[in-house]
Amino acid sequence: MGWLENVVFSDRVIENERLELTDKNSLYYLSTHLTLKNCTVVLKVPARNLVINQAQFIDCTFEVKQELKKKQTWVLASLRGCRFKGNLSDCDFGHWPGYAPGWEHGSIEDCDFSEARLDGCRIMGCDPATLRFPKWPCFTLLDPVRNSRALRSATWPGRFGRIVIDGLANYPADTRALTFHAPSQAKYFDITPEALQDVIQQFDCILS
């Protein structure tokens, strides 16, 4: 990969605008002292082309046109009243003390993921009751660390129980919610979404 052109959004307030972050040859910074209000942010770049650090988003819509993978640095942003659309995997949101410089700015509240597809995405250090999660075929484990013992008591299909459920106790204590996409997990573990759903329905701590 050659040199990327830096496109920096910082030190300003932007309202009621549409930001197209779609150029594969650009490195986009949503950075310090940036506030976006009532904006639509279109994302169509790999996670490595997007830097999020100490920005504030209020009542914004994120349209993810290319699956966003392994983007943990949402935890360095403040998100309030935002909506997410599209596919996100292994992304973290919320408040994670000590994660990286700028962690104190991280928060999430009153956000809506109902039109998104989340897989392996975590909510850290914030109240998931203020959030709307995607419904089946996605499912959300609430307080997965605290509930890990109860979840291990069930018979999960294939290796999902041994790999995923048994590993919950090792997650950071601040993990408040964890959302998976059943078809993606089923494909990876060579099981069926229906087999997962049969177990999921046994637990009040799982939203689907």
Side-chain angles (χ1 to χ4, degrees), residues 108-126:
I108 185 169
E109 61 179 316
D110 299 325
C111 289
D112 186 350
F113 292 97
S114 62
E115 295 182 68
R117 193 198 80 183
L118 305 182
D119 190 41
C121 294
R122 298 183 293 188
I123 302 299
M124 308 298 296
C126 294

Side-chain angles (χ1 to χ4, degrees), residues 88-201:
L88 301 101
S89 60
D90 299 316
C91 294
D92 293 334
F93 304 85
H95 188 71
W96 190 346
Y99 173 79
W103 63 264
E104 62 274 13
H105 298 274
S107 65
I108 185 169
E109 61 179 316
D110 299 325
C111 289
D112 186 350
F113 292 97
S114 62
E115 295 182 68
R117 193 198 80 183
L118 305 182
D119 190 41
C121 294
R122 298 183 293 188
I123 302 299
M124 308 298 296
C126 294
D127 183 3
T130 73
L131 310 178
R132 291 184 64 191
F133 291 99
K135 295 186 180 298
W136 184 262
C138 290
F139 61 97
T140 300
L141 312 181
L142 300 176
D143 281 329
V145 178
R146 184 172 61 85
N147 289 316
S148 60
R149 178 176 295 181
L151 293 169
R152 287 198 306 271
S153 69
T155 302
W156 294 86
R159 294 180 298 119
F160 184 84
R162 186 167 71 254
I163 302 299
V164 176
I165 301 301
D166 286 358
L168 294 176
N170 299 321
Y171 274 57
D174 286 330
T175 307
R176 297 290 177 255
L178 170 62
T179 301
F180 290 109
H181 179 241
S184 298
Q185 295 296 312
K187 181 179 180 180
Y188 182 81
F189 288 106
D190 194 23
I191 55 179
T192 66
E194 292 75 20
L196 281 171
Q197 192 175 34
D198 286 344
V199 185
I200 288 166
Q201 291 173 343

Side-chain angles (χ1 to χ4, degrees), residues 4-20:
L4 299 178
E5 179 183 355
N6 291 339
V7 180
V8 180
F9 297 91
S10 65
D11 298 296
R12 53 182 150 158
V13 176
I14 302 175
E15 296 189 60
N16 304 309
E17 296 287 344
R18 182 178 178 90
L19 280 63
E20 302 264 357

